[in-house]
């Protein structure tokens, strides 16, 4: 798939990174002679962060190139993302040229923060292909894209656009009625106006305003938004109670929502110098890196809880897993081959190698693959039975770096109705070298009672057959060994 990025600034460069890291070929068109440097810096940030959010391998990176003309960029493109400066006349000119050369099936998404799709579609040769796909900075990390299609775009094209956005890990929010500035920026503008007043009236500095957000309600908003947060504020009596209690306050003159302070030189300089005092010790690049690392931390935490933006990441993992290679090996090799995958960026430690606990994760995933192999799927666990790990011994033999392919094997040392004794190995796929091993004893349990009971007979028979096939293998050198016995 090919994406054409028209305008490779802050937003276009980050769109390019998101498409590239999801396997799309990307061609950038921008008359700025520094565009390649600009995009390279954004891509470097994205490469540090986006793959660190995935718990399955991302597809191989697409090919990045720069076009000498807009025509060259959009020819053969499946998606064109317009991210030129926010001037309607410029956007019209660019859109006309895009549509003259892009394939008829290509969707043209505009990053516009404020224009309505009907404004962008004015005078267009194929208005039905143009819609707003409004992202948030940094586009390579934040999943939201407001999709505003307007009446000229069919539901089919709009849904296609949403599907493509999902395929690059974004979450389309379809804005059903076109309005200036869509939903999120309209909301942010209200907050922005209030902040300007607070500074102008000497109530608070830029830093105090930022602290009011990041130490308090900003953290709530980041995971629950506005209404879910206020639902809790209403307590057991709920949302209606909250509104009846606090709604009348809105009539009191707390805010200056409708007035905009005059952005004269004095106010601009006041804000700029307060901002310098607050953040001038960091370069923009440093602040970007801080922002991105914080976002990765937030997002990973939400991912663990399958909540908010974290749920979108889990859904993206499921899509990526289908395409890619956390393959369960199916060969009849002895010892049994289980997983075949690559070392993920999120698994890398401060020293550039795979971190300790991820080996345990690999062996835990291998155990799941083994149990699936003998028919003990999620349904078996949901029905109340599982193998519990009673004892394990992990050994580390060699370092392994990011994106290195690996595979795992299992040698079954013993199996009876209630016990399973397995020796796993993790190997580098490139040269078969041994990276780590784990010896584990599992007991089959009835989960509710916590009692050890006999496992499913058919599964035990299959595990015993595997154990018999492995009986002639040499006993693993370290089987039964304890720590310090080397
Ligand atoms: P920017 O100034 O960083 O980048 C614009 C780029 O467009 C520049 O590199 C410029 O050289 C290029 N350009 C100018 N004319 C061009 C042409 N004819 N063909 C190709 N490229 C051309 O601006 P930005 O912040 O990336 O904003 C781009 C769009 O994204 C705007 O519509 C803006 O409203 C929207 N947007 C911005 C943000 C944000 O936070 N900056 C967030 C969401 C949406």
């Amino acid at each position: 798939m090919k994406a054409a990025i028209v305008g490779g600034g802050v937003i276009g460069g980050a769109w390019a990174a998101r498409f590239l890291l999801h396997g799309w070929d990307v061609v950038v068109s921008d008359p700025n002679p520094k565009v390649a440097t600009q995009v390279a810096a954004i891509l470097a940030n994205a490469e540090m962060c986006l793959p660190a959010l995935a718990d399955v391998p991302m597809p191989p990176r697409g090919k990045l190139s720069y076009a000498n003309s807009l025509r060259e960029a959009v020819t053969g493109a499946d998606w064109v993302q317009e991210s030129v400066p926010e001037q309607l006349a410029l956007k019209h000119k660019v859109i006309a040229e895009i549509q003259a050369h892009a394939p008829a099936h290509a969707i043209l998404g505009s990053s516009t923060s404020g224009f309505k799709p009907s404004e962008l579609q004015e005078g267009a040769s194929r208005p039905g292909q143009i819609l707003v796909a409004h992202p948030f900075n940094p586009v390579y990390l934040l999943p939201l894209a407001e999709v505003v299609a307007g009446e000229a775009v069919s539901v089919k094209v709009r849904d296609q656009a949403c599907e493509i956005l999902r395929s690059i890990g974004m979450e389309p929010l379809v804005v059903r009625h076109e309005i200036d500035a869509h939903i999120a920026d309209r909301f942010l503008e209200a907050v922005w106006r209030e902040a300007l007043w607070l500074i102008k009236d000497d109530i608070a500095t830029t830093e105090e305003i930022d602290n009011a957000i990041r130490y308090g309600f900003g953290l709530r908003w980041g995971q629950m938004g506005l209404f879910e947060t206020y639902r809790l504020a209403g307590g057991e009596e709920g949302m209606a109670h909250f509104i009846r209690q606090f709604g009348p306050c809105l009539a009191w003159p707390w805010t200056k929502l409708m007035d905009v302070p005059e952005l004269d030189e004095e106010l601009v300089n006041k804000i700029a110098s307060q901002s310098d005092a607050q953040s001038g010790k960091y370069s923009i690049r440093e602040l970007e890196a801080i922002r991105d690392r914080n976002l990765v931390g937030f997002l990973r935490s939400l991912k663990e809880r399958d909540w908010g933006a974290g749920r979108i990441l889990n859904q993206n993992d499921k899509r990526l897993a289908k395409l890619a290679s956390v393959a369960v090996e199916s060969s009849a090799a002895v010892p049994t081959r289980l997983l075949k995958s690559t070392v993920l960026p999120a698994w890398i430690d401060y020293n550039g190698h795979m971190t300790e606990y991820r080996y345990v994760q690999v062996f835990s995933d291998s155990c799941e693959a083994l149990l699936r192999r003998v028919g003990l799927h999620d349904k078996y666990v949901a029905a109340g039975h599982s193998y519990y790990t009673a004892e394990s011994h992990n050994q580390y033999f060699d370092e392994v770096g990011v994106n290195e392919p690996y595979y795992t094997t299992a040698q079954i040392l013993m199996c009876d109705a209630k016990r399973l004794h397995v020796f796993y190995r993790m190997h580098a796929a490139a040269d078969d070298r041994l990276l780590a091993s784990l010896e584990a004893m599992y007991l089959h349990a009835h989960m509710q009672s916590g009692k050890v009971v006999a496992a499913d007979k058919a599964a035990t028979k299959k595990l015993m057959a595997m154990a018999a096939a492995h009986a002639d293998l040499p006993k693993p050198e370290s089987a039964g060994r304890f720590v310090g016995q080397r």
Side-chain angles (χ1 to χ4, degrees):
M1 300 285 269
K2 172 183 169 182
I5 303 296
V6 181
V10 174
I11 293 301
W15 273 109
R18 192 175 260 287
F19 275 109
L20 277 168
L21 294 177
H22 280 86
W24 284 55
D25 290 335
V26 169
V27 183
V28 177
S29 169
D30 190 318
N32 182 349
K34 291 192 180 142
V35 64
T37 321
Q38 219 164 253
V39 173
I42 296 170
L43 185 55
N45 285 353
E47 278 179 319
M48 290 284 291
C49 300
L50 183 62
L53 292 175
D55 291 306
V56 292
M58 306 256 328
R61 197 182 121 168
K63 194 167 133 275
L64 172 64
S65 57
Y66 295 88
N68 293 318
S69 66
L70 217 163
R71 175 190 188 142
E72 184 192 327
V74 303
T75 301
D78 302 288
W79 182 283
V80 182
Q81 187 68 27
E82 171 278 303
S83 305
V84 301
E86 189 76 351
Q87 300 151 23
L88 192 54
L90 176 61
K91 293 207 185 258
H92 278 155
K93 183 173 153 284
V94 165
I95 287 171
E97 210 181 329
I98 292 171
Q99 292 215 309
H101 303 294
H105 77 271
I107 289 174
L108 199 171
S110 171
S111 301
T112 179
S113 304
F115 297 121
K116 301 192 277 274
S118 58
E119 291 172 294
L120 300 172
Q121 290 154 357
E122 271 163 26
S125 55
R126 291 193 303 275
Q129 302 298 120
I130 304 168
L131 42 79
V132 171
H134 176 236
F136 292 79
N137 195 19
V139 183
Y140 49 82
L141 281 182
L142 300 186
L144 180 63
E146 289 177 314
V147 172
V148 204
E151 288 178 5
V153 176
S154 67
V155 171
K156 186 172 167 218
V157 169
R158 188 198 69 193
D159 289 351
Q160 252 172 11
C162 289
E163 216 26 65
I164 290 177
L165 291 167
R166 282 192 197 97
S167 76
I168 57 167
M170 297 188 89
E171 178 62 8
L173 174 66
V174 173
V175 181
R176 278 171 284 118
H177 305 283
E178 60 167 27
I179 53 166
D180 292 328
H182 329 310
I183 296 175
D185 277 354
R186 186 139 162 187
F187 183 55
L188 284 178
E189 191 178 83
V191 177
W192 173 232
R193 268 199 200 121
E194 285 302 321
L196 293 177
W197 275 116
L198 289 169
I199 295 171
K200 183 177 169 65
D201 293 348
D202 281 328
I203 309 294
T205 62
T206 56
E207 184 165 8
E208 287 161 349
I209 290 170
D210 286 349
N211 290 346
I213 297 171
R214 63 186 157 189
Y215 299 158
F217 67 86
L219 290 169
R220 298 192 310 213
W221 281 0
Q223 40 88 46
M224 280 195 165
L226 183 67
F227 283 100
E228 209 153 34
T229 300
Y230 280 166
R231 183 181 176 82
L232 288 175
E236 289 300 335
E237 289 174 73
M239 192 64 166
H241 167 73
F242 172 77
I243 295 174
R244 284 187 203 110
Q245 192 180 2
F246 294 104
C249 312
L250 293 177
W252 303 343
W254 277 8
T255 68
K256 299 199 179 188
L257 264 188
M258 298 321 293
D259 299 330
V260 188
E262 194 188 337
L263 285 167
D264 53 21
E265 277 304 291
E266 192 188 341
L267 182 54
V268 171
N269 289 334
K270 186 174 180 183
I271 295 171
S273 58
Q274 286 185 4
S275 174
D276 286 348
Q278 176 188 353
S279 315
K281 56 184 176 291
Y282 302 111
S283 70
I284 294 297
R285 289 277 164 266
E286 284 168 336
L287 278 176
E288 278 173 358
I290 292 167
R291 174 200 65 192
D292 287 1
R293 278 200 300 271
N294 288 341
L295 281 171
V296 169
F298 272 154
L299 287 165
R300 285 218 67 100
S301 156
L302 290 173
K303 194 175 182 197
E304 268 170 39
R305 288 156 188 78
D306 198 31
W307 186 265
R311 183 168 293 172
I312 308 301
L313 290 170
N314 284 326
Q315 286 163 0
N316 197 37
D317 274 6
K318 279 198 189 126
R319 257 188 305 272
L320 293 174
K322 271 192 208 144
L323 300 175
S325 58
V326 189
V328 174
E329 293 234 8
S330 56
S331 73
V334 172
T336 305
R337 290 262 191 144
L338 291 173
L339 296 182
K340 177 175 83 171
S341 190
T342 53
V343 174
L344 298 181
W347 297 359
I348 299 302
D349 211 343
Y350 62 93
N351 59 17
H353 304 128
M354 180 159 149
T355 199
E356 192 183 347
Y357 75 96
R358 295 293 186 173
Y359 288 90
V360 179
Q361 180 185 326
V362 165
F363 290 124
S364 165
D365 291 346
S366 299
C367 172
E368 252 183 60
L370 174 65
L371 296 179
R372 280 173 204 277
R373 187 76 62 87
V374 297
L376 303 184
H377 297 278
D378 296 345
K379 272 192 205 154
Y380 186 76
V381 177
H385 287 95
S386 178
Y387 275 100
Y388 283 0
T389 310
E391 191 175 345
S392 70
H393 180 204
N394 208 179
Q395 283 188 291
Y396 303 94
F397 295 100
D398 207 347
E399 292 160 349
V400 62
V402 68
N403 295 330
E404 279 193 53
Y406 71 85
Y407 66 90
T408 62
T409 64
Q411 180 173 347
I412 302 196
L413 302 179
M414 187 279 295
C415 172
D416 63 20
K418 296 180 181 174
R419 294 175 304 167
L420 177 61
H421 185 186
V422 186
F423 195 87
Y424 300 96
R425 294 179 179 90
M426 178 183 182
H427 293 270
D431 52 10
D432 292 322
R433 75 184 192 283
L434 182 62
L435 301 170
S437 67
L438 179 104
E439 183 184 354
M441 175 65 87
Y442 305 103
L443 299 177
H444 185 270
H446 177 252
M447 292 197 287
Q448 208 182 356
S449 66
K451 293 226 160 67
V452 174
V453 295
D456 173 76
K457 276 193 183 132
T460 305
K461 205 170 152 194
K462 286 184 194 157
L463 287 167
M464 283 176 160
M466 275 187 196
H470 297 171
D472 291 339
L473 288 172
K475 189 178 169 212
E477 203 183 82
S478 60
R481 204 183 246 181
F482 52 84
V483 174
Q485 209 187 358
R486 269 196 210 220

